[in-house]
Every structure is written in C-alpha cells, then in structure tokens.
C-alpha cells in the first residue's frame, strides 16, 4: 500500500530507528534478556498486549491551524501571486530558515518539486537520471515528466537506501544527475553519492520527501546537494494534504526553480522557459505555517521514542531495525522500518508475523510491495515514441535488460514498518507496547505456523 492510499485510521501505529547517539545512550535489556509479557498469542486466544488504547492522532491539528485557514478564507488572498506577504511567501521564508537553507520555493507536491528541479537543471529528453527502485512513484514521475530516463540502481538491503557502488555502475554517457532518496526519512550514503557525482560531473537532487529535519554530518537533509525536495502529503511529519518544497542556497538556480514552477514565468514577469503551473496555494501554506513552531519538538520526541524502541529490539535476531550510516545524527521518523528475518522465526512467512503482531494491538505494514523496477512503466516507456526518438534502440534494450534489483526485491519481502508520524509522539508506555508485541510474537515463534 502507498501512503497516498492511507486513511487516517490506518495511521494507527508506528515508531522508528533513531539517532545513533541516542541509541547508544539508551540502556535497556537486549531481546534475549527481555521477558515480554509472553503468554499466549492474542491471535490464538490470549490477552493482547495493547487493548482499547489510541495512538496520537495524525495529521497534527490544532486551533492555530484552523484559525489560519479561516483567516486566509476571509482575506480573499487565496493565490500566492496576490500578495508578496501572503502565507506562501511567508512559509517559504520560515521553512528555509528552519532547514538552514537560503531559499525555498513551495509547490503543490513533492513530485512537483522534483520535476521542477529536473527542468530547472535543463535535464530532458535524451538524458538519464539515476535513482532508487525503492521509493514512492513520485520520485520517477519527476524524471519521466521531463521525458528523461529514470535509471534504477540496486540497494544496500540493510539500509534500504541506494548502494553507491550500484549507482556508479549505472552511469552512462547520457547520465546528467543522481536523485538519491532518503528512505524512511533517514540519510542515504550521501557522502559517497556526492563524491561519485563530483567525480563524474553530475548534478544531485536530494529526494528528502520523507526526511524533514533529519541531520547528517552536521547538516539537515535537503541542504547538502544544491537542491533538496520535500513532500507535505498528509502522512508526512509536516503536512497539508498535498504540498511540496524545494530548498537551496544558489540564488540563480532557485530563481530558475521559481520560474519553472510558475508556468515558465519569472519573478520579472516574463514568460521565459518551459514550465508547468505548480504553485502552492495560500490555504496549503496556512495549514503548514502554524506547524513549524512545534515541528522541532515533535521531531525530538520521535527520535527519543525511536531510540527507546531500537534499544528494546536490539539483539532480537528476527527483527533488525534499519541500518543507519555513520554521520546520521537524527531522522524524521516518518516511518520506523525493520527487516523481518524469517529464518529466525522458524521460516514462517512475514504475513503470519504481521497478523500475529496486529492481534496484539500493534499494526505493522509491509509498505512497498514491489520495487519500481517491477512496475509496468518500464515496458511502457521503451514502446513510447518520445523515448524511441531520443534513445537508441540499443540503449533502450540495455535499459530494459538491466532492470533487475534483487536487493530491492529482498527489502520488499522483508520490510515490516510502522507509520510513525503520529504514533512515535506517544508515551514511553506506548513504545513499550510496540516492543512487547513484537517480542511476544518472537518468543512464540514456534506457534506461528498454527495461525
Ligand atoms: C521518497 C518520496 N519521494 C517522492 C514523493 C512524492 O511526494 P508527493 O506525494 O508529495 O508528490 C514521496 C511521497 O510520499 C516520497 O515518499
């Protein structure tokens, strides 16, 4: 299931990996020493770990947001070009400040932000952009919309992130950019990816759609490459239904992004380049602006809870939280991701494990069912005129043949994650329920084949 399909009720549970430092400083017994209220599995008639308790609601709603929307409605300023001091320009300034970037251009979605960056860099027909197969379709939509070729590189199966070696293998004479994705809101191996980009003279667009406020090597994600993109779709940790933002420090490049996203019309009022109309509207910014004040505190809380969870699960061989790269200081904890290692659960398939944990009152998700390399767009574009005209038949055939990402397939099979935006704002007792439910099922793994 994709997050776009989620209803509010489905954001029931979550948690996540955590700040390395916080994990290291949290002292809790490892899995083997913990005696989670074992007992009989709820799915087999036992008492569930968690009963009749709710999780913190998501999206975050408060009176300030409601007031801001009412104020915008009454003002009649509904479109960003009506006022230089409206909610969108104000949000852009505040978001840039919060992220430590010089400039921000707000858009209607993360996908729109990515596409805007691709166009602003002059990437189009005949060009290739290397990205991840394990991501939201919006990542490649931003490349395809420019009629460039998304080339998918395989993953590090422990971090669910692009493997830099695989990225380097996929570079061709047509490659113009790398679009690394910070999956689950945790940093990918950006140090190595930036080095590869420098070596081959490639642009980098950070897909930080899931990674609000995450920090890596002393900087916020989205500010390391010249361009970083965010999503404010409902499920994200800063949200307005549909919305997006581009941040960057290069004034000229960010000005190009503004022009592209404004149907090719610049701040000087001239229609200069090819561009869609991707402007954020004033209502979306009215929902976002009041969230910024508390965003850092909610981020801190998620990281603290994630550290607790990771410490509780440490040492449990069947459940392995997302691997974090050196330099990771914190993550958005939009998702708390784990790998289910069935060889440590008597080879019981993941579906049974998820059902048993759900019966304990904790809902985990398999997340992305198939990597993008297994979706029909691959066959579609090799038969599409625009691609047939701009790439040689040999290149398209090679592109099709190389669409194999076995590590991504492994990640899709093993993933068990929590939607974390709301639930990781819970109490430590809530976190204990999550860990207890998982560990109880682990303790009872010999009973899982009976369900
Ligand atoms: C990694 C990633 N990239 C891109 C997107 C696209 O963002 P949006 O849904 O706002 O268009 C998403 C959305 O979930 C995402 O998770």
């Amino acid at each position: 299931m994709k997050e776009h399909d989620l209803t509010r009720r489905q954001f029931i549970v979550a948690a996540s990996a955590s700040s390395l430092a916080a994990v290291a400083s949290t002292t809790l017994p490892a899995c083997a020493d913990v005696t989670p209220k074992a007992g009989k599995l709820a799915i087999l008639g036992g008492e569930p770990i968690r009963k009749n308790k709710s999780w913190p609601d998501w999206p975050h709603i408060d009176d300030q947001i409601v007031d801001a929307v009412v104020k915008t409605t009454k003002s009649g300023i509904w479109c960003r070009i009506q006022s230089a001091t409206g909610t969108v320009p104000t949000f852009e300034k505040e978001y840039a400040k919060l992220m430590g970037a010089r400039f921000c251009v707000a858009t209607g979605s993360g996908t729109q932000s990515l596409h805007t960056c691709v166009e602003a860099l002059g990437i189009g027909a005949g060009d290739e952009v290397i990205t991840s197969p394990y991501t939201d379709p919006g990542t490649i939509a931003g490349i395809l919309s420019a009629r460039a070729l998304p080339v998918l590189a395989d993953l590090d199966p422990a971090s669910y992130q692009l493997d830099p070696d695989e990225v380097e293998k996929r570079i061709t004479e047509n490659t113009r950019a790398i679009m690394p994705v910070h999956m689950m809101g945790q940093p990918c191996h950006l140090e190595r990816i930036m080095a590869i980009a420098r070596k081959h003279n490639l642009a980098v667009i950070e897909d930080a759609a899931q990674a609000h406020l995450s920090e890596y090597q002393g900087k916020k994600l989205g500010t390391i490459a010249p361009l970083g993109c965010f999503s404010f779709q409902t499920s994200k940790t800063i949200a307005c239904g549909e919305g997006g933002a581009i941040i960057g420090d290069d004034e000229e490049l960010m000005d190009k992004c503004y022009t592209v996203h404004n149907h090719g019309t610049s701040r000087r009022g001239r229609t200069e380049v090819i561009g869609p109309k991707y402007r954020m509207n004033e209502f979306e910014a009215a929902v976002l602006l009041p969230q910024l004040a508390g965003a850092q505190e909610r981020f801190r809380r998620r990281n603290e809870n994630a550290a607790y969870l990771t410490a509780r699960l440490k040492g449990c061989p069947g459940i392995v939280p997302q691997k974090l790269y050196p330099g990771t200081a914190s993550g958005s904890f939009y998702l708390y991701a784990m790998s289910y290692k069935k060889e440590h659960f008597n080879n019981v398939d993941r579906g049974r494990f998820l059902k048993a944990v759900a019966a304990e009152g904790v809902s985990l998700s398999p997340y992305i069912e198939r990597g993008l390399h297994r979706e029909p767009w691959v066959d579609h574009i090799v038969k599409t005129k625009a691609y047939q005209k701009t790439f040689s038949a040999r290149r398209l055939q090679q592109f099709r043949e190389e669409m194999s990402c076995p590590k991504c397939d492994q990640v899709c099979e093993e993933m068990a994650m929590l939607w974390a935006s709301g639930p990781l704002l819970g109490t430590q007792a809530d976190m204990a329920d999550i860990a207890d439910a998982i560990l109880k099922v682990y303790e009872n793994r010999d009973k899982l084949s009976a369900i």
Side-chain angles (χ1 to χ4, degrees):
M1 187 191 307
K2 304 272 155 42
E3 52 261 56
H4 300 86
D5 305 326
L6 283 181
T7 64
R8 208 175 137 155
R9 287 269 328 128
Q10 287 170 306
F11 293 128
I12 308 182
V13 172
S16 51
S18 135
S19 135
L20 288 175
V23 173
S25 65
T26 307
T27 45
L28 284 163
C31 172
D33 313 325
V34 170
T35 316
K37 300 157 197 150
K40 195 172 181 184
L41 287 175
I43 202 161
L44 296 175
E47 207 37 40
I49 293 280
R50 189 175 170 91
K51 222 171 38 178
N52 305 324
K53 287 192 215 160
S54 60
W55 301 93
D57 266 346
W58 199 258
H60 172 82
I61 303 168
D62 63 26
D63 289 346
Q64 283 169 301
I65 295 175
V66 175
D67 291 348
V69 173
V70 171
K71 199 169 150 208
T72 296
T73 308
K74 289 183 176 166
S75 74
I77 309 282
W78 292 358
C79 162
R80 72 163 298 157
I81 60 166
Q82 287 176 262
S83 165
T85 55
T87 61
V88 176
T90 309
F91 171 73
E92 287 174 337
K93 274 199 201 103
E94 293 300 317
Y95 193 67
K97 199 156 85 182
L98 181 68
M99 301 302 295
R102 285 183 69 208
F103 304 102
C104 171
V105 173
T107 67
S109 69
T111 305
Q112 293 179 8
S113 292
L114 292 163
H115 179 209
T116 299
C117 293
V118 170
E119 294 281 356
L121 289 167
I123 296 169
D127 295 330
E128 301 181 12
V129 178
I130 302 174
T131 191
S132 172
Y134 193 67
T135 180
D136 182 86
T139 304
I140 58 160
I143 302 165
L144 290 167
S145 299
R147 299 298 184 268
L149 189 67
V151 173
L152 307 182
D154 210 353
L155 307 181
D156 171 344
S159 68
Y160 326 133
Q161 313 279 11
L162 271 175
D163 177 340
D165 291 333
E166 294 295 320
V167 169
E168 196 158 23
K169 278 188 214 157
R170 298 286 193 215
I171 294 172
T172 71
E173 59 187 11
N174 303 319
T175 306
R176 295 284 314 282
I178 306 173
M179 190 181 281
V181 183
H182 300 297
M183 222 26 205
M184 317 298 187
Q186 300 291 350
C188 68
H189 204 320
L190 205 50
E191 183 178 333
R192 284 206 54 213
I193 288 175
M194 293 302 289
I196 291 167
R198 277 192 298 274
K199 181 173 152 199
H200 297 272
N201 197 24
L202 303 174
V204 180
I205 303 166
E206 279 179 73
D207 181 342
Q210 305 187 346
H212 314 78
L213 298 171
S214 310
E215 288 164 318
Y216 174 74
Q217 297 186 338
K219 286 186 160 184
K220 292 224 170 24
L221 294 183
T223 67
I224 298 166
L227 293 168
C229 294
F230 294 85
S231 164
F232 304 120
Q233 184 265 344
T234 309
S235 62
K236 302 301 189 304
T237 57
I238 299 174
C240 67
E242 300 286 1
I246 306 162
I247 57 172
D249 287 343
D250 179 334
E251 190 164 8
E252 200 180 322
L253 184 55
M254 288 301 287
D255 193 53
K256 272 192 200 152
C257 288
Y258 180 90
T259 302
V260 167
H261 108 298
N262 189 34
H263 47 44
T265 305
S266 71
R267 292 189 197 270
R268 275 91 40 211
R270 303 301 301 271
T271 302
E272 298 174 7
V273 297
I274 300 168
K277 190 174 173 214
Y278 281 167
R279 296 192 302 240
M280 177 179 277
N281 73 50
E282 291 281 299
F283 294 99
E284 289 160 341
V287 173
L288 289 169
L289 252 176
Q291 288 174 53
L292 298 186
Q296 197 76 53
E297 171 52 25
R298 286 190 284 277
F299 172 80
R300 190 200 59 73
R301 177 114 199 94
R302 283 191 200 93
N303 274 274
E304 192 180 285
N305 274 334
Y308 170 87
L309 262 183
T310 300
R312 284 287 315 274
L313 296 172
K314 201 172 161 209
C316 177
I319 287 292
V320 183
Q322 181 175 13
K323 166 181 144 186
L324 305 176
Y325 291 110
T328 302
S330 53
S332 71
F333 291 107
Y334 162 57
L335 310 167
Y336 182 95
M338 299 164 275
S339 298
Y340 172 74
K341 299 288 180 189
K342 76 173 180 183
E343 59 276 23
H344 294 285
F345 276 87
N346 294 347
N347 281 324
V348 166
D349 63 80
R350 177 183 58 179
R352 284 181 217 220
F353 164 75
L354 294 178
K355 270 194 207 156
V357 176
E360 299 298 335
V362 170
S363 148
L364 302 180
S365 166
Y367 195 37
I368 294 170
E369 276 172 45
R370 283 175 305 278
L372 288 170
H373 60 296
R374 293 195 173 273
E375 293 292 338
W377 69 274
V378 177
D379 288 325
H380 173 75
I381 66 161
V382 298
K383 290 187 216 130
T384 301
K385 248 192 210 155
Y387 286 90
Q388 288 178 342
K389 281 186 177 170
T390 50
F391 290 93
S392 68
R394 213 164 129 234
R395 176 64 188 120
L396 287 180
Q397 191 188 347
Q398 182 196 29
F399 163 78
R400 186 68 201 85
E401 284 167 6
E402 286 179 358
M403 257 316 159
S404 152
C405 299
K407 301 283 170 43
C408 176
D409 295 337
Q410 181 191 335
V411 171
C412 292
E413 275 166 30
E414 294 183 347
M415 180 55 57
M417 67 84 181
L418 295 150
W419 293 100
S421 292
L424 272 194
L425 297 175
T427 61
Q428 190 162 315
D430 290 327
M431 298 308 111
D433 283 348
I434 297 170
D436 286 345
I438 292 171
L439 295 174
K440 179 179 171 186
V441 174
Y442 176 71
E443 298 286 313
N444 283 284
R445 57 196 177 280
D446 57 326
K447 318 266 177 6
L448 290 178
S449 50
I451 65 174

